Amino acid sequence: MTKKEILQKLMAIKAININTTELYTWASGIKSPIYIDNRLIMSYPDLRTAIAKEFVNLIHEKFGDDKVTTIFGTATAGIPHAMLVANLMQLPMGYVRGSKKDHGKQNQIEGVYQAGDQVIVIEDLISTGGSVLDVAASLQSVGVKVLGVLAIFSYQLPNALNNFKKMNLNYYALTDLDELVNPDHNLLTFDDQKIVLNFKEELNNK
């Protein structure tokens, strides 16, 4: 699928929401005209499989077939996609919690891994990249090599690019905000395109 086709499918299931009059509140407290809920993908078997296949294609393209030893997901949004990708590639899979459990073995990293493993981390959405980079840092702290990060959607904010550069990591997304507001795609009205672009510019200046 092209980036535009992915966007069309996400909009069809209302995983991408635009409301320029009643703004959405992100977890960070930011008021936004756009809200992405990629968790809805799990309810659509054909789409979740197609997304997983696109991730596999991206892994082959960017990292090669013989380098990746394990697929890791972020908790919780990246877990189902990581599982599907790992199943397609017949690779081990794990996930990383935001913090250690307060009971049992008190694990933060779940799954079988060892120092020297070369892994891909899968996230559903990248804004500043903060949470997924914390996951990458947790893996690196136990000797695991993070080859890169994949996401379904990226806001393409300069902060994210800078944060990934600081950790010397690359990230790739199946689709992104620039594709969404591309006037040639006619996915948004002209007024909505303008408002979303203004919102992105405001975030870039913060």
Side-chain angles (χ1 to χ4, degrees), residues 1-20:
M1 291 188 291
T2 65
K3 288 186 173 184
K4 177 185 176 182
E5 288 169 339
I6 293 171
L7 285 170
Q8 289 173 321
K9 291 181 182 297
L10 295 179
M11 294 179 78
I13 66 169
K14 301 188 184 306
I16 294 179
N17 304 272
I18 307 292
N19 191 327
T20 57

Side-chain angles (χ1 to χ4, degrees), residues 15-203:
I16 294 179
N17 304 272
I18 307 292
N19 191 327
T20 57
T21 56
E22 297 180 12
L23 301 181
Y24 301 99
T25 303
W26 289 358
S28 61
I30 292 173
K31 300 291 184 180
S32 168
I34 179 171
Y35 181 72
I36 312 292
D37 186 3
N38 285 327
R39 291 164 294 189
L40 294 175
I41 294 170
M42 291 300 97
S43 296
Y44 297 87
D46 289 345
L47 181 56
R48 73 188 185 213
T49 301
I51 292 292
K53 288 179 178 177
E54 290 301 324
F55 273 137
V56 171
N57 290 338
L58 196 54
I59 290 170
H60 291 333
E61 176 188 343
K62 301 298 183 181
F63 305 101
D65 295 345
D66 56 347
K67 291 184 178 180
V68 182
T69 60
T70 311
I71 305 296
F72 271 90
T74 58
T76 57
I79 293 174
H81 303 290
M83 175 63 79
L84 290 167
V85 170
N87 193 51
L88 286 174
M89 297 184 71
Q90 287 296 284
L91 289 175
M93 176 264 176
Y95 68 91
V96 183
R97 301 173 184 274
S99 59
K100 291 183 178 180
K101 292 195 299 184
D102 58 4
H103 60 281
K105 294 182 178 180
Q106 299 182 327
N107 292 339
Q108 183 172 8
I109 302 173
E110 299 287 3
V112 177
Y113 63 90
Q114 59 186 0
D117 282 350
Q118 301 189 103
V119 310
I120 298 294
V121 177
I122 293 184
E123 175 69 291
D124 76 321
L125 175 70
I126 291 177
S127 52
T128 63
S131 58
V132 73
L133 286 173
D134 286 343
V135 166
S138 296
L139 291 166
Q140 290 172 339
S141 71
V142 294
V144 171
K145 182 177 181 180
V146 179
L147 297 176
V149 172
L150 304 185
I152 297 170
F153 186 93
S154 169
Y155 283 101
Q156 295 178 298
L157 300 179
N159 279 348
L161 184 60
N162 292 334
N163 290 337
F164 274 89
K165 279 184 176 179
K166 288 176 185 176
M167 287 191 64
N168 196 29
L169 282 177
N170 291 321
Y171 76 92
Y172 305 95
L174 299 183
T175 193
D176 51 56
L177 188 64
D178 284 352
E179 287 291 319
L180 181 63
V181 297
N182 186 332
D184 294 333
H185 293 345
N186 295 317
L187 295 174
L188 303 179
T189 66
F190 175 79
D191 288 340
D192 284 353
Q193 289 171 9
K194 191 172 181 179
I195 290 171
V196 172
L197 281 172
N198 286 341
F199 168 72
K200 182 184 177 184
E201 187 65 25
E202 289 174 5
L203 288 183

